[in-house]
Amino acid sequence: LGPLVGAIDQGTSSTRFLVFNAETAELLSHHQVEIKQEFPREGWVEQDPKEILNSVYECVERTCEKMNELNIDIANIRAIGVTNQRETTVVWDKTTGEPLYNAIVWLDLRTQSTVERLLKRIPGKNKTFSKFKTGLPLSTYFSAVKLRWLLDNVDEIRRAVEEGRAMFGTIDSWLIWVCICGTNGGVHCTDVTNASRTMLFNIHSLEWDPDLCKFFDIPMEILPNVRSSSEIYGLMKICPSRESGALTGVPISGCLGDQHAALVGQMCFRDGQAKNTYGTGCFLLCNTGQKSVFSEHGLITTIAYKMGKDKPVFYALEGSVAIAGAVVRWLRDNLGIASTSQEVEKLAAEVGTSYGCYFVPAFSGLYAPYWEPSARGIICGLTQFTNKNHIAFAALEAVCFQTREILDAMNKDCGIPLSQLQVDGGMTNNKILMQLQSDILCIPVVKPSMPETTALGAAMAAGAAEGVEVWSLNPGDLTAVTCERFEPQINPEESEYRYARWKKAVMKSMGWESSEGPSNG
């Protein structure tokens, strides 16, 4: 075997460690651990940063054990890439290495009143006031408002900031800081893609923006150093809680937010290439090359990647949907209509229709293209005939309709409609969903046979880094990927009719919640 590259993929619902062959891009071994999400109050979503860290250690350890069983020498692992759920915010103490509060997850809504307070300070309450600097609208989704909430509400964090002990980071920063020495001189860094999701980063100058830090009243000294997505940040240290010391001294040399990593893993290196990832949420990214494009239709502008210190930065347009796979998890865990996610697919398959029932899963308000934080989830069109099968089908349909909304916006902004959709992510194993998606979009849906494109993208960035150089990103050297295709099977009129009904349901979900109500008191 030639050189190998590992990837830590820390997502919203699970952590994985995967090892790839750098020459063939073949996945050799992996391990996955589900992560607990805590909902301490309505609309709040938290995770324990220590649990996240331990899940990474466990995945690394188990994968190395599996490789030993396969007689693959882990000494061949030349580099490690990190990819992560974006925006999720951690503040920790650099002297003790302890988190000062739970991580506030990207989906969390506690900052709605913070957002409204900040809006009052903007002329005309213009949500997109920083669009041309950050590419983002003011929303509960991005890190700056979560950090503002922590500084306003957690005494321990305020004290740590005053005493110069606090460090802020997204999940990538937290993991890299701990894995490279931690309290013994850990490296406090992030990459341009994760930085571009904070709302504190200027996506043109590629620096933290002093005016935005002043607006959010965030001290710049707690922010990580921003690096490219592909360079050696430091070497893996021995983790005290693990016997094997596996991977000690291996460079950590790739870092990308999960959606950006998937764009790389799907080989979308050219202007106009796009992918849609179905995870906890749903994210459609379209590479716009070395120029930033600003949307007129509710999409956000983000950094796609920067593959090395001296390499150019590439940009993307993104349509972000908060709830995709999360709706299946909700049917499983909250309603108990199925004990596994596969069972939800089976329930839907038994009826093959939602029978006029529509499910808008606006659990965290609506993201793109509406950016409507006051929306909440609804199921409408219910009759005495409706049963759990129809609701399961309507949930899968909701994922497809939401994708269609962001694809429509993308086509309007780019002017060139996509002729097919490249897809990846855990939910793409659901064949019913993929067929439904093709039917609702009226274009083919194309899925690579190796669905772990997010981890692959992080491995590619790590393996291609200067000083590692075991993975070539030259278009000619990239391995052709085998794919599965889903072609539309219903007539477009039927599809349009259902989509129009969906849009009607979306309108009914809006304006439900106001932060003045007692529930946020």
Side-chain angles (χ1 to χ4, degrees), residues 23 74-75 103 107 121 197 215 270 348 398 402-403 423 473 484:
E23 283 160 7
I74 60 172
L107 283 165
R121 294 177 27 207
R197 316 298 296 188
F215 175 78
R270 288 200 314 276
Q402 291 184 106
T403 297
V423 302
L473 299 184
E484 193 176 348

Side-chain angles (χ1 to χ4, degrees), residues 100 130 200 213 217 246 425 435 460:
L100 295 169
S130 78
L200 298 170
C213 290
D217 193 17
Q435 184 54 54
M460 288 163 68

Side-chain angles (χ1 to χ4, degrees), residues 127-287:
K127 230 181 267 183
T128 58
F129 79 107
S130 78
K131 172 169 155 176
F132 295 110
K133 268 186 179 179
T134 64
L136 313 174
L138 184 57
S139 158
T140 57
Y141 178 26
F142 307 109
S143 315
V145 288
K146 301 179 195 298
L147 184 49
R148 184 65 257 150
W149 187 93
L150 287 166
L151 292 166
D152 287 337
N153 293 282
V154 184
D155 291 337
E156 222 180 315
I157 287 183
R158 239 195 335 261
R159 260 201 314 280
V161 169
E162 282 161 13
E163 292 167 15
R165 293 180 285 112
M167 282 185 163
F168 151 79
T170 38
I171 296 293
D172 54 308
S173 300
W174 163 241
L175 294 178
I176 290 173
W177 184 80
V178 179
C179 289
I180 305 176
C181 299
T183 50
N184 306 323
V187 172
H188 188 211
C189 71
T190 186
D191 90 297
V192 287
T193 66
N194 279 296
S196 77
R197 316 298 296 188
T198 58
M199 228 180 157
L200 298 170
F201 188 67
N202 184 316
I203 61 175
H204 310 291
S205 68
L206 306 186
E207 289 170 343
W208 297 118
D209 189 282
D211 296 338
L212 287 168
C213 290
K214 195 172 286 162
F215 175 78
F216 288 105
D217 193 17
I218 283 163
M220 293 181 79
E221 58 276 11
I222 71 173
L223 304 177
N225 291 317
V226 185
R227 316 270 289 262
S228 77
S229 315
S230 176
E231 60 178 88
I232 296 176
Y233 311 111
L235 309 181
M236 219 23 189
K237 72 165 173 67
I238 295 177
C239 161
S241 64
R242 294 280 174 254
E243 321 69 76
S244 75
L247 308 188
T248 304
V250 175
I252 298 179
S253 55
C255 178
L256 290 150
D258 53 9
Q259 303 311 323
H260 313 258
L263 193 71
V264 171
Q266 285 262 31
M267 323 278 174
C268 297
F269 292 126
R270 288 200 314 276
D271 191 346
Q273 289 185 303
K275 65 86 209 175
N276 195 34
T277 300
Y278 299 77
T280 299
C282 214
F283 300 89
L284 176 63
L285 271 74
C286 180
N287 190 332

Side-chain angles (χ1 to χ4, degrees), residues 354-387:
S354 65
Y355 221 85
C357 159
Y358 289 81
F359 188 161
V360 183
F363 301 158
S364 295
L366 289 166
Y367 286 10
Y370 302 103
W371 299 104
E372 189 44 78
S374 66
R376 286 297 175 273
I378 59 164
I379 302 176
C380 53
L382 299 173
T383 65
Q384 278 169 312
F385 182 75
T386 314
N387 61 31

Side-chain angles (χ1 to χ4, degrees), residues 324-462:
V327 73
V328 174
R329 197 171 173 167
W330 184 83
L331 289 175
R332 183 192 77 184
D333 298 348
N334 296 32
L335 290 197
I337 69 168
S339 51
T340 64
S341 303
Q342 286 70 34
E343 220 175 296
V344 174
E345 178 179 6
K346 219 170 83 209
L347 287 172
E350 283 165 13
V351 284
T353 170
S354 65
Y355 221 85
C357 159
Y358 289 81
F359 188 161
V360 183
F363 301 158
S364 295
L366 289 166
Y367 286 10
Y370 302 103
W371 299 104
E372 189 44 78
S374 66
R376 286 297 175 273
I378 59 164
I379 302 176
C380 53
L382 299 173
T383 65
Q384 278 169 312
F385 182 75
T386 314
N387 61 31
K388 64 181 182 182
N389 300 72
H390 301 119
I391 289 173
F393 194 93
L396 297 185
E397 243 181 351
V399 175
C400 301
F401 286 134
Q402 291 184 106
T403 297
R404 164 117 191 228
E405 290 190 305
I406 53 180
L407 188 73
D408 282 0
M410 192 75 78
N411 288 339
K412 285 178 194 150
D413 278 325
C414 295
I416 313 158
L418 288 180
S419 54
Q420 58 174 39
L421 185 65
Q422 285 177 238
V423 302
D424 58 81
M427 283 188 97
T428 59
N429 294 325
N430 183 329
K431 288 197 176 356
I432 303 226
L433 180 74
M434 292 297 96
Q435 184 54 54
L436 200 51
Q437 186 66 85
S438 177
D439 288 343
I440 287 170
L441 297 178
C442 307
I443 57 172
V445 166
V446 183
K447 168 196 171 206
S449 49
M450 202 285 294
E452 300 292 350
T453 48
T454 298
L456 177 62
M460 288 163 68

Side-chain angles (χ1 to χ4, degrees), residues 80-91:
I80 295 166
V82 175
T83 180
N84 56 290
Q85 51 170 319
R86 305 172 302 169
E87 299 96 15
T88 296
T89 299
V90 190
V91 178

